[in-house]
Amino acid sequence: MGCREVHAATVLAFLSGTASVAGLLAAVLLPNWRQMRLCTFNRNERNLTVFTGLWIKCARFDGSRDCVSYDPQWYRAVDQLDLRVLQFALPLSMATAAAALLLCLVGMCHTAFVSTAPNVKLARCLVNSAGCHLVAGLLFLLACAICLTPSVWVIFYNSYLNRKYEPIFSFDISVFIAIASAGGLFFTSVLLFLWYCACKSLPSPFWHPLYSHPPSMHSYTPQPYSARSRLSTMEIDMPMVTHTS
């Protein structure tokens, strides 16, 4: 494994994280988190389906794509607890994953363009590429947990609404997109962790999150000079003359 070069695992992790963030963005914007189907027994009227999203609500007749009733201010008056939690959880998960993507990109650029250790004076203040990937993996895992928990809760809360009122509620495609995006974030974090664990056996400091001892730093302790070493060269080479009586 070419750990000291940009590796396929880190590139695949970056692409997977980007696709997961794009999926989260689609799930946030689509008005397809919950459907409420209203059926009528009047032959002169058509059944109505209400599509509920995080920010808008749309009502459509069967066989029509146009909204009969469109509420763009729905985000202010959300009366369903799971959707209200998702309004805060999904943007937070997207922000966390975006920060992880930025760190992953910084780590790859550091690997590609910086082959030597930094200045000795700045070594203890800098993070190497392995540290960037390690922190990015932790952030991807956190983003996965923030996204997955409320998205799965929608399924159980939908069953609660059907028991409390009538069996007219069903979860829509945005739930599956959010759960799949959370799975992509988890896969991305696993890739980064596997890459780090496979490369951490290399000599330090390249695979420590922080530069502890750069290669240019060597522990050298000068030995104390002896009394004879302080003599000049002439004194050392000059023979000792003694006088005898």
Side-chain angles (χ1 to χ4, degrees):
M1 178 179 288
C3 297
R4 295 187 181 179
E5 300 176 354
V6 177
H7 194 261
T10 57
V11 176
L12 180 60
F14 181 80
L15 295 178
S16 175
T18 304
S20 300
V21 172
L24 283 180
L25 181 61
V28 167
L29 297 180
L30 286 175
N32 297 97
W33 279 93
R34 177 168 289 123
Q35 292 185 14
M36 183 173 60
R37 184 170 176 80
L38 304 176
C39 300
T40 178
F41 297 99
N42 190 346
R43 296 181 179 180
N44 298 324
E45 296 180 358
R46 289 184 294 177
N47 297 331
L48 186 70
T49 303
V50 180
F51 295 89
T52 304
L54 302 183
W55 317 105
I56 59 176
K57 178 187 274 189
C58 174
R60 299 175 184 172
F61 287 117
D62 287 357
S64 175
R65 295 185 178 181
D66 298 328
C67 293
V68 179
S69 175
Y70 180 79
D71 185 8
Q73 302 296 325
W74 165 248
Y75 66 94
R76 296 182 178 179
V78 174
D79 57 352
Q80 300 169 13
L81 183 59
D82 56 342
L83 299 184
R84 178 65 76 182
V85 172
L86 282 167
Q87 285 181 337
F88 295 95
L90 290 190
L92 179 60
S93 177
M94 289 176 56
T96 306
L101 280 176
L102 181 61
L103 271 178
C104 189
L105 184 62
V106 169
M108 287 192 295
C109 292
H110 194 281
T111 303
F113 301 110
V114 181
S115 59
T116 58
N119 189 1
V120 175
K121 296 180 179 179
L122 299 176
R124 295 185 180 274
C125 303
L126 297 180
V127 179
N128 55 11
S129 58
C132 290
H133 291 312
L134 184 61
V135 176
L138 293 174
L139 289 179
F140 277 124
L141 192 60
L142 178 62
C144 170
I146 296 174
C147 169
L148 183 62
T149 304
S151 299
V152 173
W153 185 35
V154 172
I155 301 175
F156 295 98
Y157 196 83
N158 191 79
S159 302
Y160 165 75
L161 291 177
N162 286 328
R163 291 193 305 268
K164 185 177 181 180
Y165 300 104
E166 295 181 9
I168 57 176
F169 298 96
S170 61
F171 49 89
D172 209 347
I173 188 172
S174 293
V175 178
F176 300 104
I177 295 177
I179 294 177
S181 299
L185 294 174
F186 180 76
F187 174 72
T188 303
S189 65
V190 169
L191 272 179
L192 292 176
F193 290 151
L194 288 177
W195 176 84
Y196 179 78
C197 292
C199 296
K200 65 180 295 187
S201 59
L202 293 181
S204 61
F206 294 100
W207 307 108
H208 288 174
L210 292 175
Y211 280 112
S212 55
H213 296 288
S216 59
M217 295 178 64
H218 301 282
S219 59
Y220 174 74
T221 304
Q223 298 295 328
Y225 289 102
S226 62
R228 184 172 177 81
S229 64
R230 290 195 293 268
L231 298 176
S232 63
T233 308
M234 184 178 296
E235 290 176 322
I236 294 175
D237 296 334
M238 185 181 297
M240 185 69 68
V241 179
T242 59
H243 298 278
T244 59
S245 56

